[in-house]
Amino acid sequence: MPTFSHGETEIFYEDKGSGVPIVFIHPPAMGRKVFYYQAHLAEHYRGIFPDLSGHGDTIGPIKDVSILGFAEEIHALLNHLQIEKAVICGYSSGGIVAQEFALSFPEKTIAVILSGGFPSVQSIGFKYEHLAGIYFVKHYPDTLAYMIATSHTKNKRLRNEIIEHMHKANRKVWLQFYERSLHYSCVDRLHQLKSPLLLLYGSRDLVNQHLRCYKRHTNCQAVIIPKVSHQLPTKKWQLFNQLISGFVCEQAYASKNL
């Protein structure tokens, strides 16, 4: 499987299909395996699935995490693949990397898709969810990996694959990714986000409260998917993929640059 050098780090990625490129950015520890079902999109688009530094099969020295640093890794990946611009799709805390990428490298961004996205942690419940994650990473990382994987799928094989992949994550990076997510904010820059924006939320997900902030500061499209919480890429993957496909097709039709 392919890797490329970014400084001293060998970043692992999967590159599937052809057409409009879509880069999928994972949340803490989960790595690219959380996008197992998004590989189906490669029938019509070019799906790119990296493991960020400190995650999965990416190897290299462990450095302090920064959200901009992760965004720069995606930028370097696109340059390595000689991709002029791409759709950037971030899931959960991977969404703050997607937003940082779009704000820092607008010339490389076709559109942004956020699943369970947030510009900053704005609710008490979501804050304590992060704090619980930090506590479990420090004291019970194996238990947390099992809990997260089990919440994402009933497919035993995929669940075990996600757990195994999460065990590869560096605990320092895992912890710092949670911490950086907790304290990150791009609210004061959202008005600078000029790329088309699609927001996807589950109706039972407390993160969907952040939709109000996006509506105040951006011109976004939003879909609330009923009877599901946060885990859209795995639990509602058929509809999730359809919404992504429709949105990307819409942007392709609207822009001659695609």
Side-chain angles (χ1 to χ4, degrees):
M1 300 298 290
T3 64
F4 80 100
S5 297
H6 179 60
E8 300 176 274
T9 302
E10 289 293 317
I11 295 180
F12 186 100
Y13 64 94
E14 294 185 47
D15 185 357
K16 301 175 180 288
S18 61
V20 177
I22 310 173
V23 181
F24 292 87
I25 306 177
H26 61 76
M30 296 199 77
R32 70 187 194 281
K33 296 294 184 177
V34 72
F35 297 117
Y36 173 84
Y37 292 110
Q38 281 60 67
H40 291 282
L41 287 166
E43 296 175 10
H44 305 287
Y45 302 103
R46 183 177 181 182
I48 302 167
F49 307 87
D51 283 332
L52 298 173
S53 58
H55 292 81
D57 295 306
T58 289
I59 58 174
I62 301 304
K63 302 177 182 179
D64 285 343
V65 168
S66 79
I67 302 305
L68 177 58
F70 282 152
E72 289 171 342
E73 290 179 12
I74 302 301
H75 185 267
L77 174 58
L78 292 181
N79 286 342
H80 168 73
L81 295 174
Q82 298 182 322
I83 293 174
E84 183 178 348
K85 53 173 60 176
V87 176
I88 309 298
C89 179
Y91 169 45
S92 193
S93 291
I96 64 175
V97 180
Q99 289 169 98
E100 186 62 42
F101 179 92
L103 290 165
S104 299
F105 309 107
E107 74 285 354
K108 302 285 284 185
T109 308
I110 294 171
V112 178
I113 301 170
L114 302 179
S115 176
F118 54 96
S120 66
V121 175
Q122 297 178 353
S123 73
I124 296 297
F126 197 36
K127 175 183 177 180
Y128 280 107
E129 201 171 274
H130 275 74
L131 293 174
I134 290 168
Y135 176 83
F136 271 87
V137 174
K138 287 180 178 178
H139 301 286
Y140 307 105
D142 292 347
T143 300
L144 181 58
Y146 179 82
M147 290 167 57
I148 290 174
T150 302
S151 74
H152 276 78
T153 181
K154 294 181 180 179
N155 181 318
K156 184 176 180 180
R157 184 185 62 79
L158 177 57
R159 183 186 68 206
N160 290 338
E161 197 170 317
I162 291 173
I163 291 171
E164 181 182 354
H165 205 63
M166 292 184 74
H167 285 165
K168 296 178 182 180
N170 179 273
R171 281 179 64 183
K172 175 184 175 182
V173 172
W174 189 356
L175 177 67
Q176 290 189 350
F177 199 166
Y178 270 129
E179 292 174 339
R180 302 298 184 267
S181 298
L182 176 58
H183 299 293
Y184 178 86
S185 177
C186 64
V187 174
D188 61 344
R189 294 187 290 153
L190 278 179
H191 68 280
Q192 300 172 17
L193 186 62
K194 303 305 180 185
S195 304
L197 174 62
L198 174 63
L199 304 169
L200 303 174
Y201 294 102
S203 62
R204 298 172 180 168
D205 188 0
L206 60 85
V207 184
N208 65 34
Q209 299 172 35
H210 295 83
L211 177 56
R212 293 192 294 268
C213 182
Y214 287 111
K215 286 185 173 180
R216 283 197 300 269
H217 297 286
T218 70
N219 180 20
C220 61
Q221 299 181 40
V223 179
I224 305 292
I225 298 176
K227 299 180 181 179
V228 67
S229 182
H230 195 60
Q231 303 86 358
L232 301 182
T234 53
K235 286 199 166 179
K236 290 289 184 179
W237 68 267
Q238 294 98 331
L239 179 55
F240 183 78
N241 286 3
Q242 288 173 10
L243 291 167
I244 289 176
S245 183
F247 180 69
V248 174
C249 184
E250 178 184 321
Q251 304 316 312
Y253 181 79
S255 174
K256 295 180 181 179
N257 295 324
L258 300 189

